[in-house]
């Protein structure tokens, strides 16, 4: 795996985590519940796929991943 591909995987995880958080904070009014559920499901699946890719990173890139995660959780 190249450094560039590892960076893309890490960046994708960070972006999908932030999107999931934003989606969780934006609760819909009663009229938009169905649309919210569809969007929430899509955002969650994107995050889940990004997490699966992150778990497959070679060991040499895991420290970069942990650092990126620490930055968004601080």
């Amino acid at each position: 795996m190249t450094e560039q591909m590892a960076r893309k995987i890490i960046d994708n995880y960070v972006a999908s985590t932030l999107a999931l958080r934003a989606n969780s904070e934006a609760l819909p009014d009663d009229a938009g519940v169905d649309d919210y559920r569809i969007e929430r499901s899509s955002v969650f699946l994107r995050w889940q796929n990004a997490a699966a890719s992150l778990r497959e990173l070679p060991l040499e890139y895991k420290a970069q991943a942990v650092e990126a995660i620490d930055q968004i959780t601080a």
Side-chain angles (χ1 to χ4, degrees):
M1 175 176 292
T2 66
E3 174 86 25
Q4 182 180 14
M5 179 58 77
R7 189 75 245 165
K8 284 182 181 181
I9 290 170
I10 294 166
D11 291 346
N12 184 44
Y13 178 80
V14 168
S16 63
T17 298
L18 294 173
L20 186 61
R21 282 186 194 167
N23 184 266
S24 297
E25 293 171 1
L27 297 176
D29 57 13
D30 290 339
V33 171
D34 289 337
D35 289 339
Y36 173 77
R37 287 183 181 152
I38 292 167
E39 182 182 346
R40 172 86 176 158
S41 178
S42 175
V43 170
F44 178 76
L45 287 174
R46 180 177 166 222
W47 173 81
Q48 196 172 37
N49 288 335
S53 295
L54 195 67
R55 284 190 293 275
E56 298 298 321
L57 278 178
L59 189 58
E60 65 255 27
Y61 301 113
K62 298 244 180 183
Q64 292 175 23
V66 170
E67 183 180 321
I69 293 166
D70 282 347
Q71 289 177 3
I72 62 171
T73 58

